[in-house]
Amino acid sequence: MIDTVKNRRTIRKYLQKDISSDLLNDLLETSSRASTMGGMQLYSVVITRNAEMKEKLSPAHFNQPMVKGAPVVLTFCADFRRFSKWCEQRNAVPGYNNLMSFMNAAMLVAQTFCTLAEEAGLGICYLGTTTYNPQMVIDALQLPELVFPITTVTVGYPDGIPAQVDRLPLEATVHEEYYHDYSKADIDKLYAYKESLPENEQFVKENRKETLAQVFTDVRYTKKDNEFMSDNLLKVLHQQGFM
């Protein structure tokens, strides 16, 4: 399992080979053993295999080709609807229509599924676009109140193995005993390798920027876009009953 994680790659191209229901259900059932607040299992997973349904989901993910190309698309949702209905039917009054409840929902089971799927020889791609366009996903999957899409994972047998993406050294992300703030020298040291990679130098050149950081702030993840998507996320959270 450790070697699987150390050697993992994000897979965006898949063989046209089906994933059996037995295998998929076994992975999902095993994933349900992930930690969950109070043992409440505050999540649901929507399985999409149908090509027409993938077409409906694709625009929410900016039409990235792996959404239609993967044999299976999984949408992991925060789900307080099921638990709240159980409470109401057992003469208990649920109080989970709030942001705190939302924050304790689906990510651990999603990550556990991804690790198990890769151990089983499948490839996955995590799509952060789910929370960029949540309303489109909600509409496509007919998600009711108190159900909210958290992340989407495409799954399939890899069609080729891409190069592994770089990571910052461990000292960049792990703090002993308390948070140690970063000095200017620390930042220079920790980001030196990433900045020196030929593909990143080319990225800077293609975007006509001075630094790799400017590619992130001015092109890929701009303040304007982040603020728009944040406002939209809060609006849809309110609509789905979490605020």
Side-chain angles (χ1 to χ4, degrees):
M1 182 72 77
I2 290 177
D3 286 342
T4 297
V5 176
K6 279 187 175 182
N7 294 315
R8 74 162 305 278
R9 276 96 162 141
T10 293
I11 302 298
R12 295 180 173 86
K13 293 180 65 179
Y14 304 96
L15 299 174
Q16 291 307 300
K17 177 181 177 182
D18 196 21
I19 300 172
S20 72
S21 293
D22 287 345
L23 174 57
L24 186 62
N25 288 338
D26 182 54
L27 292 171
L28 289 167
E29 185 175 9
T30 306
S31 300
S32 73
R33 289 295 167 187
S35 297
T36 175
M37 185 179 75
M40 293 189 283
Q41 290 185 262
L42 304 168
Y43 55 82
S44 284
V45 186
V46 180
I47 300 172
T48 303
R49 292 182 183 268
N50 181 271
E52 185 177 339
M53 286 300 297
K54 291 176 190 175
E55 285 281 353
K56 289 181 179 180
L57 284 171
S58 184
H61 302 291
F62 301 111
N63 296 306
Q64 296 179 85
M66 55 277 206
V67 175
K68 289 187 282 189
V72 174
V73 177
L74 300 178
T75 305
F76 289 83
C77 303
D79 186 352
F80 276 86
R81 188 174 184 85
R82 179 183 63 250
F83 193 81
S84 293
K85 283 192 168 189
W86 174 67
C87 291
E88 290 167 351
Q89 290 176 208
R90 297 296 184 270
N91 199 30
V93 181
Y96 308 117
N97 54 340
N98 49 65
L99 189 60
M100 177 56 70
S101 298
F102 171 77
M103 295 298 291
N104 284 289
M107 288 304 293
L108 286 177
V109 70
Q111 180 55 62
T112 302
F113 172 86
C114 290
T115 302
L116 291 170
E118 290 173 328
E119 179 73 5
L122 298 170
I124 66 96
C125 182
Y126 162 88
L127 300 179
T129 44
T130 305
T131 50
Y132 291 2
N133 296 305
Q135 189 60 59
M136 298 172 73
V137 179
I138 288 166
D139 292 343
L141 300 180
Q142 302 178 36
L143 304 182
E145 187 177 15
L146 291 181
V147 182
F148 197 96
I150 299 294
T151 189
T152 298
V153 177
T154 60
V155 192
Y157 291 95
D159 184 4
I161 304 298
Q164 199 170 34
V165 176
D166 68 283
R167 289 291 187 263
L168 294 173
L170 190 63
E171 62 186 295
T173 59
V174 175
H175 302 253
E176 295 286 350
E177 306 299 343
Y178 61 91
Y179 190 96
H180 298 264
D181 205 358
Y182 304 96
S183 68
K184 185 177 183 299
D186 290 335
I187 296 297
D188 289 341
K189 176 184 176 184
L190 295 172
Y191 284 87
Y193 176 71
K194 180 182 286 289
E195 292 174 327
S196 72
L197 291 172
E199 57 267 34
N200 285 338
E201 291 180 341
Q202 182 64 25
F203 210 14
V204 174
K205 184 177 179 181
E206 288 173 353
N207 287 280
R208 299 180 180 179
K209 295 298 177 181
E210 296 176 5
T211 68
L212 182 61
Q214 288 178 353
V215 175
F216 280 87
T217 60
D218 300 351
V219 180
R220 297 190 65 189
Y221 304 101
T222 68
K223 176 179 170 63
K224 179 181 178 182
D225 288 344
N226 288 333
E227 289 178 344
F228 173 80
M229 288 183 288
S230 295
D231 289 344
N232 185 56
L233 179 62
L234 291 173
K235 180 180 76 174
V236 182
L237 276 169
H238 187 275
Q239 174 188 298
Q240 291 299 104
F242 283 104
M243 293 184 71

